[in-house]
Amino acid sequence: MKQFFQKHTGIIIALVILLTWGAVLWSLLHWEVNFWSPLTYLAVLVMMHLYTGLFITAHDAMHGVVAPGNKPLNTVIGTICAGLFAYNYYGRLYPRHHLHHRHVATDQDPDYHGGNFFLWFLSFAMQYVTVVQVLLMAGTYHLLQVWFPVENVILFWMVPAVLATLQLFYFGTYLPHRGEHEHDNRHKSSTQSRNHLWAFFSCYFFGYHYEHHDKPYLPWWKLYQEKNRLVKGQ
């Protein structure tokens, strides 16, 4: 049993994130919203974190580390996770992400922009948000209203996806790659100070961004180990 879990850890973690996202969203869509209760806003943050987990899982699939040695399964899991996150298309994300790794912080990097936070985010969004996505989101929003209260749909399906997009951009792109001329490493990437609790909740350890670029074959849940190794080696 232990060998089974060790061999399939990436798949198991991906399924836990997927099933938890689905179960929590389903529950919250049926929940009676109380705008005066702090639990409502905590629930929004929980959903935001789970949305971020979906995208991080899709990202790991792009590096082939969700189901190592099983490319079709890896692609299926990545496609599902990306699709559930506001209808992102895995086939579109995959080549652009690898361009980012090959040409980090250059004109050929689709994730990079030399402007301020807002201009950079606008450029980032234009690279990835498509008209088809917007139409699918709009259609799903109207469809969900048939079965669920509109405030639940907005609070727990729409808002967390927007917040997670900002979270992923801020911690996974903007902070690590801003001021690229200040980075004295070949990956042109900075990294968070070692604080595993904050690193996990802020962006599934992707604040340890130099570590990710240096060893892109490590899944998100092993980045903290690489951080420990580098800190101890200093």
Side-chain angles (χ1 to χ4, degrees):
M1 183 63 72
K2 183 178 179 181
Q3 289 182 336
F4 175 85
F5 280 104
Q6 288 177 338
K7 183 178 180 180
H8 302 291
T9 304
I11 299 171
I12 293 167
I13 290 176
L15 290 177
V16 168
I17 291 173
L18 267 169
L19 294 174
T20 304
W21 175 88
V24 173
L25 177 60
W26 180 257
S27 298
L28 290 175
L29 286 174
H30 291 85
W31 199 37
E32 185 175 347
V33 172
N34 178 359
F35 287 101
W36 293 103
S37 172
L39 291 178
T40 298
Y41 305 100
L42 178 61
V44 172
L45 293 178
V46 168
M47 279 307 305
M48 176 187 76
H49 187 67
L50 291 171
Y51 265 107
T52 301
L54 284 181
F55 194 87
I56 293 296
T57 302
H59 165 271
D60 270 10
M62 296 176 211
H63 288 285
V65 297
V66 171
N70 190 336
K71 188 174 180 179
L73 180 58
N74 198 80
T75 301
V76 167
I77 293 174
T79 301
I80 292 171
C81 287
L84 290 174
F85 192 126
Y87 293 104
N88 280 286
Y89 177 45
Y90 182 82
R92 177 181 170 86
L93 297 173
Y94 183 95
R96 290 169 181 255
H97 184 66
H98 285 279
L99 277 176
H100 165 65
H101 273 266
R102 286 197 298 269
H103 306 289
V104 60
T106 69
D107 291 340
Q108 294 174 280
D109 180 355
D111 292 0
Y112 180 72
H113 188 278
N116 61 36
F117 174 86
F118 298 102
L119 290 176
W120 194 335
F121 181 72
L122 180 62
S123 172
F124 183 84
M126 290 176 66
Q127 285 287 338
Y128 292 101
V129 179
T130 67
V131 173
V132 173
Q133 269 182 273
V134 174
L135 292 175
L136 286 171
M137 287 292 287
T140 304
Y141 168 72
H142 288 292
L143 188 62
L144 287 173
Q145 287 184 64
V146 176
W147 295 295
F148 306 109
V150 64
E151 60 268 25
N152 293 60
V153 175
I154 293 172
L155 276 176
F156 305 126
W157 181 70
M158 291 182 66
V159 171
V162 173
L163 292 176
T165 300
L166 287 167
Q167 180 185 18
L168 285 158
F169 170 73
Y170 185 74
F171 290 103
T173 298
Y174 177 71
L175 278 186
H177 296 300
R178 65 176 178 172
E180 79 285 0
H181 299 300
E182 301 173 11
H183 302 319
D184 58 352
N185 60 70
R186 61 194 176 96
H187 301 303
K188 299 180 181 178
S189 305
S190 63
T191 185
Q192 287 179 346
S193 299
R194 183 172 62 168
N195 183 327
H196 298 330
L197 186 63
W198 171 242
F200 171 69
F201 282 110
S202 62
C203 201
Y204 289 75
F205 300 121
F206 266 82
Y208 298 154
H209 210 74
Y210 172 86
E211 290 78 3
H212 167 59
H213 274 268
D214 196 51
K215 290 184 171 57
Y217 52 82
L218 290 178
W220 69 264
W221 41 273
K222 285 189 175 181
L223 285 174
Y224 79 93
Q225 296 173 343
E226 179 63 10
K227 183 67 173 183
N228 286 340
R229 188 187 70 81
L230 290 178
V231 169
K232 290 176 181 177
Q234 289 177 351

